[in-house]
Amino acid sequence: MKMHRYEKIWLFLAASMLVIAVVYSGVQTFALGQGPPSGVGMIDPEKVEETAPFDNPGISKIGDNEYEVVMILRAFSFEPNIIEIPAGATVHFKMTSIDVMHGFQVIGTNLNAMIMPGHIQEAKQKFKKPGEYLAICNEYCGVGHQLMSMKIIVK
Amino acid sequence: METIENKISTMSGSNRLDSRLTLMYFSIAFITLLAGGLLGLLQGLNRAGLLELPTNFNYYQVLTAHGILLVLVFSVLFVIAYFYSILSHTMDGLFPIVRKMGWISLITMLVGVVLVVTQVVMGNASVMYTFYPPMKASPWFYVGLFIVVAGIWIAAFGGFTQIAKWRKRNRGKHIPLLGFFAMGVFILLFFGSLGVTAEVLMLIPWAFGWTETINVMLSRTLFWSFGHTFVNIWYLTAVSLWYVVVPKVIGGRLFSDTLTRVVVILLVVSNIPGGFHHQIVDPGMSEGIKLTHALMSMVIGFPSLMTAFAMFFVFARVGKKKGAKGVFGWIKKMPWGDVRFLAPMIAMIFFIPGGAGGIAQNANQLNQVVHNSLWVVGHFHITVGVTAVLTFFGAMYWLIPYLSKRTLTPAMNKLGVIQTLIWTIGMVFMAGGMHTVGLLGAPRRTSYTTYGDSATAASWDPYLLLLAVGGTLLTIALVMIVYIVFNLMFFAPKGNTEFPIAQGEENASETPKWTERWTVWIIIMLVIVAFGYVIPLVDMIQNAPPGSPPFVTW
Ligand SMILES: [Cu+2]
């Protein structure tokens, strides 16, 4: 296979760029702990409300300016649908869906995750700036999907 | 019988019986495009807050129909018609059995599509093009999908039959380069849809109520094994035209027959696991698996970058021959006023931001920023709507007249140039708006909403207006292309139109025999698919949570 010299250079650069992108992803995931939300816990989707911790959804303090939010997503609402935290707090979200697939995205942050029935999704986010954050469902879940949102108030 | 037909075909350009088949495909494809596009306009207007849709024909119903008609029906009909035209032209006419399979495929697909669309229109299947369970559509919706896929398979096997029979008759010869692309596309059409077929076969008994629950994660993964492969089928189709037709239109030669075939092989073998990047922020999968898949998706970028080089090289070479100077001197030497060049050229230019966006979405952390936002919709309106579809449009200006034995007049060419520019500007507005507002957090697949008068949502409004402006321009261009296609089919002046196929360079080296070893490439493809999917699928089946019962949420 005859290849032009310029093409060899170009392909070398192309391959390097792709390798760098993947290596960088790997470093972010495993060395910096910034992997994508990948909760591996499971739950019976028909018994969400009777299974701990989802029998008691809400926010609880688990450390020094560290909180855990246990959340149930259902068409077309979040439970809880409003939480308040101090600025600088790290929040660990534990979420599942009681019916169909939903998304959870906190606008203005990088927090974005799929929430599926049967799976417990986990994600954490540090809220540095005070303000009111809009969180929405970003996966179509039915006729009221456009109404599905909640608020995170950072004081 | 065959030989007489073949003689007629070489004498007069296109084989009459074959062109009747492919013109029928193209007619239905463009009617579908018109219907699907008009539904798209309704959404753009609604999303911008300019139009309220009635409850018996709501946003989500319209969106479901828009997605299915364009992503599935239009593109599949187009791709099959395009490659059947190629097989007919480059292999001395279709064999009668293959032509028959083409007709059976078309009828089968139409039966399936009617079933699917009826369910959507009746409001029994507002489940989007992705139909993620446990949202449950009417079982007939899934039955319809299965019939559509069966039709696709018949067409793919028709393609395999044609190539196999031709090879038997032409021992020792290479498959013509465009036929090589056809082979790659038919392989992807068949193997790429196996996963979704398995999914649909699980959904049918569940939707009828014969089984109680469904494995949500498994369904979603099987869906995406197909969902992204289809994207690459359009892409491979567009690329075939860039490599083989565009050089001829500008008066040049092929880049390299061998390297072109290598690009086809790479795209085919590396394709199917690419779909996993749709699941980067899913639960139930470890970060290690996700990183493996980020790598596997990234591999698809490699042949695309090869293509970028090849195209640049061809342009530069033609430019130099015509006396161009400097690195970008060729730009002035290109036939910009020839729509057969202009449309695919703009398509290629848009592949630069489109491809870069694709690489960004493949990366784990960047994906998290834009996942399920309108950014993604902007991305595929650029890649599919410009890179693929504008190339398809570009093919119509010579392929339809070739098939209908008519000619492209200067006036029609001019109309085509205007159509191309309006389409491009429309996409710039629409996709540009989507990319921007997506970065600001606006979600995809969501009708107009203020989220309880949230200030954040209000800040999206100006960008959403761009969707309406772009959508309106696109609709104008859409009506124009449909007019052009039917004009070229029935009303343009009679005559013979060339099927432009570039020849290799005179000093080009012989294409090696190993490129033809399709059995080997298919095996390698299956090994790569297994490498990507066996571990996660086994895990999803063995380690599954209790399944989900059906929900109807619309
Ligand atoms: Cu939702």
Side-chain angles (χ1 to χ4, degrees), chain A residues 73-78 100-103 137-142 145 148:
Chain A
L73 285 81
R74 56 162 59 85
F76 307 102
S77 62
F78 294 88
V100 298
M101 268 186 216
H102 297 282
C137 168
N138 66 8
E139 180 63 79
Y140 167 68
C141 56
H145 165 60
M148 190 165 165

Side-chain angles (χ1 to χ4, degrees), chain B residues 249-271:
Chain B
V249 169
I250 61 174
R253 300 288 185 110
L254 286 182
F255 168 62
S256 152
D257 188 87
T258 309
L259 281 176
T260 309
R261 287 174 202 251
V262 170
V263 166
V264 177
I265 294 167
L266 285 176
L267 280 171
V268 169
V269 301
S270 67
N271 225 318

Side-chain angles (χ1 to χ4, degrees), chain B residues 79-98:
Chain B
V79 166
I80 293 173
Y82 172 78
F83 281 111
Y84 268 57
S85 311
I86 282 172
L87 294 180
S88 167
H89 178 77
T90 61
M91 296 182 174
D92 321 314
L94 296 177
F95 290 92
I97 172 82
V98 177

Side-chain angles (χ1 to χ4, degrees), chain B residues 86-129:
Chain B
I86 282 172
L87 294 180
S88 167
H89 178 77
T90 61
M91 296 182 174
D92 321 314
L94 296 177
F95 290 92
I97 172 82
V98 177
R99 195 183 307 123
K100 200 174 278 171
M101 288 167 89
W103 281 111
I104 296 174
S105 161
L106 179 63
I107 293 163
T108 312
M109 284 191 285
L110 288 180
V111 170
V113 169
V114 168
L115 200 52
V116 166
V117 172
T118 318
Q119 292 306 319
V120 175
V121 171
M122 285 165 68
N124 297 335
S126 297
V127 290
M128 304 287 137
Y129 155 71

